[in-house]
Amino acid sequence: QVQLVASGGGLVQAGGSLRLSCGASGRTFSNRGMGWFRQAPGKEREFVAAVSWSGSTIRYADSVKGRFTISRDSAKTTVYLQMSSLKPEDTAVYYCAVSVSSYGSTSAMYDLWGQGTQVTVSS
């Protein structure tokens, strides 16, 4: 069974940066979009960012727009989330996911999920 592995989380001070990575041992997910979601304690999982298979379509949640950047490598094996100007409210477990088609705009469009990586932003 394919497993997505997310990494790069950690503890950072407010205003700092982190870069999350996610992949499945070099596997290419042909014609599939990828995305990042997060879940804070006591809250529901929420959308963070998504990128289409081609990279031509990118979408961000309003709460991270201008601070986070999603990208994927040219081999289409890894998706990244560059997070800058982090705030305490960004604290959550971050999950990467692969969509069922070339682009996914909601969590319902994703069928393969990673295990999550903890991001903690201190004030």
Side-chain angles (χ1 to χ4, degrees), residues 27-119:
R27 172 170 172 161
T28 299
F29 295 97
S30 298
N31 300 312
R32 307 275 291 271
M34 298 187 77
W36 288 95
F37 296 78
R38 67 186 181 186
Q39 187 167 20
K43 295 187 177 181
E44 293 187 354
R45 184 174 59 194
E46 64 176 1
F47 168 81
V48 175
V51 59
S52 64
W53 160 251
S54 66
S56 61
T57 302
I58 290 177
R59 176 174 166 254
Y60 297 98
D62 288 343
S63 58
V64 306
K65 204 171 293 184
R67 300 187 297 120
F68 290 11
T69 302
I70 189 171
S71 62
R72 55 193 308 178
D73 66 333
S74 58
K76 304 294 197 299
T77 63
T78 306
V79 64
Y80 304 97
L81 187 68
Q82 177 67 47
M83 306 185 294
S84 302
S85 302
L86 283 161
K87 305 175 181 179
E89 49 264 44
D90 293 319
T91 295
V93 176
Y94 283 70
Y95 298 91
C96 61
V98 178
S99 67
V100 299
S101 62
S102 62
Y103 175 70
S105 57
T106 67
S107 61
M109 300 176 71
Y110 290 79
D111 64 347
L112 180 63
W113 294 82
Q115 87 289 0
T117 184
Q118 177 71 48
V119 172

